[in-house]
Amino acid sequence: MRIAEGHHPITVDSTTLTRSDLVAAAGAVSGALDSISRVAVLATPTMETVLAVAGALRAGVEVVPVPSDAGSAELAHILADAQPQAWLGAAPADSHGRPVLPVDVDARSAAVEVDVPAEQVAFVLYTSGTTGAPKGVLLSHGAIIAGLDALAEAWAWTSHDVLAHGLPLFHVHGLILGVLGPLRTGSGLIHTGKPTPEAYARASASGATMFFGVPTVWSRIAAAPEQAAALRSARLLVSGSAGLPVPVFERILQLTGHEVAERYGMSETLITVATRADGVRRAGWVGVPVNGVETRLRDEAGAEVPHDGESIGRLEVRGDTLFSGYLNRPEATSETRTSDGWFRTGDVAVIDADGLHRIVGRESVDLIKSGGYRVGAGEIEASLLGHPAVLEVAVVGVPDEDLGQRIVAFVVPATGVSGSDELADKLTAYVGDELSAHKRPRAIVFTDALPRNEMGKVQKKRLTR
């Protein structure tokens, strides 16, 4: 993937390079990769990581991003599965016998970029492993370019922009969108190191026009009025990786004057659905398919589900941004495809008459069939998060002889709030008033914390054991 020309520099945690220097530094990395076909990159939020990734891609070398906080078991699994020939840049204390190729931020070279076929693999990107050991997702150069170009069109993202974020550099959001996006569009980049309200306010003062964050980031900004007000000068605020609670959406609008644009995607598909810069923005709704992508909803029998904004169906997608398969797992790859070539996302969603999508959650744990109704856990969670007594929540369906499944909400109370039968009754009534009677939880279970994996995702199956 070529690095586009632009006037704005690239800054990663206080290290800044002009675009010409970045190209030359990436060229020096590329020139050191003779006879190498796949490298592991310890994805710390540093300029070394950016240069390692950019240099490897320029040389046609596959990149295996490794989370900087990966545990020993996760690290061993990734290296055994992907078999990278070397570490590029920094390496963990245990390099598992692989050589370490240094990345020098000050090195410069005019190494010629390799002409890489669109179908060639660019990344082996490991999933979070919510249903077993992480799988290596094979993403091609062509898929990445298609995805970034589609988002540039949807968000009117140009070389005049400066993107700011502090997201990790080992996954789609922070690395592909947040680093390769600016390199592809020619926009500037300010990676803040950590995604704090203070860091985002400083980035705004430095000219940032676009900001990426996950709901946790936006929640913290919503709780910091002075820093949030600094984002009024931005052009676009984007949230992803999970649904943005309505109260956070409304508070950010109040403090910044901006409605946050949400989007949806996954490692296997990149970003397939996004709220357009010139489109309607509604909390909890992730927009419309980007250029080159189609979506559809199907029920358990494979029949079409109406686009009425209420009916829930399995979300399937197809298009130019899809992955090439799972590394070493042909059977798992084939299981994700329908007979007519669509990708089964494993998510359930609703689509309204205007084509706007709302993700209900994972089919395996978030689609609840209760009393003849199909209920999305995500909708109930979003409702409960709007109550001031709720800090975190996870909604699940548990077996019930009468209803098939009954709706149970596991709630972490807000600071200073104690769980009680009285509060449980209030929360149940709150959901019934906001949504429908059949969507009310049949039980509220108060807990100190929700079980999460290393990526911070709630492990709902542990709640139903």
Side-chain angles (χ1 to χ4, degrees), residues 187 283 373:
S187 75
Y373 294 98

Side-chain angles (χ1 to χ4, degrees), residues 85-158:
Q85 294 160 280
W87 288 95
L88 184 55
D94 182 359
S95 64
H96 288 252
R98 288 168 172 79
V100 179
L101 306 178
V103 170
D104 184 354
V105 174
D106 297 319
R108 300 290 183 268
S109 172
V112 178
E113 182 175 5
V114 174
D115 188 11
V116 181
E119 65 274 12
Q120 183 168 323
V121 171
F123 287 101
V124 184
L125 197 65
Y126 278 81
T127 65
S128 57
T130 55
T131 57
K135 297 188 289 289
V137 176
L138 302 176
L139 292 170
S140 70
H141 286 258
I144 290 168
I145 289 171
L148 293 177
D149 288 354
L151 285 179
E153 190 279 329
W155 292 338
W157 188 358
T158 72

